[in-house]
Amino acid sequence: MPGPVEVLGPILELMTWVGFIPGIPLLIAGWVLARRRCPWTVTTAEVVEAGGFKGFRWSDGDNASHLSLLTAEETKGLETGTEVALHYDVCHPGRWSLGPHRPDNTVMTIGWILTATGMVCTLGGFVLLMF
């Protein structure tokens, strides 16, 4: 019957390749995606009311005026005429948020996890050689 060292060796070898082969290309793809994203910035928006809807009137960095109308349910607690901080995408001003933008890069996260798995399994394989 093979011992644990003989069984663990092929498993670590397999997991090394399973981690590195997709992990490194995913890291590169995630880095490219992160570099291509537009920055978000913040501006002041005024709460307005138009025909039963409330919304935000604001200007972007190019002094272009924008109006975003929402339903009454989405704007509960906002008084007409008040000013709020509005975060928006510089390249696509239609993408906005009342809270700060939290960038996510799922491709890079998966790449880090797979690459780290490959690195740990490689180190484990070297440690296993000592036994």
Side-chain angles (χ1 to χ4, degrees):
M1 180 152 171
V5 173
E6 289 85 17
V7 174
L8 198 55
I11 293 172
L12 288 174
E13 178 73 22
L14 176 69
M15 289 307 295
T16 297
W17 290 106
V18 167
F20 278 131
I21 296 296
I24 291 174
L26 285 174
L27 277 178
I28 293 168
W31 180 78
V32 169
L33 288 174
R35 294 289 170 211
R36 293 182 48 98
R37 285 199 176 144
C38 292
W40 282 58
T41 188
V42 64
T43 188
T44 303
E46 179 184 6
V47 179
V48 295
E49 189 168 356
F53 294 96
K54 282 188 180 178
F56 305 108
R57 180 177 303 150
W58 53 283
S59 297
D60 62 14
D62 298 330
N63 287 330
S65 182
H66 298 277
L67 177 65
S68 300
L69 294 177
L70 306 169
T71 62
E73 294 174 3
E74 294 174 315
T75 57
K76 283 185 180 176
L78 295 174
E79 296 294 324
T80 304
T82 59
E83 292 185 347
V84 295
L86 185 105
H87 303 264
Y88 69 95
D89 186 344
V90 173
C91 297
H92 309 284
R95 294 178 54 200
W96 56 269
S97 170
L98 290 178
H101 177 67
R102 190 175 137 234
D104 59 341
N105 195 340
T106 307
V107 174
M108 188 172 275
T109 302
I110 293 172
W112 276 117
I113 291 169
L114 288 173
T115 304
T117 301
M119 292 173 69
V120 168
C121 289
T122 300
L123 291 174
F126 284 123
V127 169
L128 200 60
L129 287 175
M130 308 259 182
F131 293 106

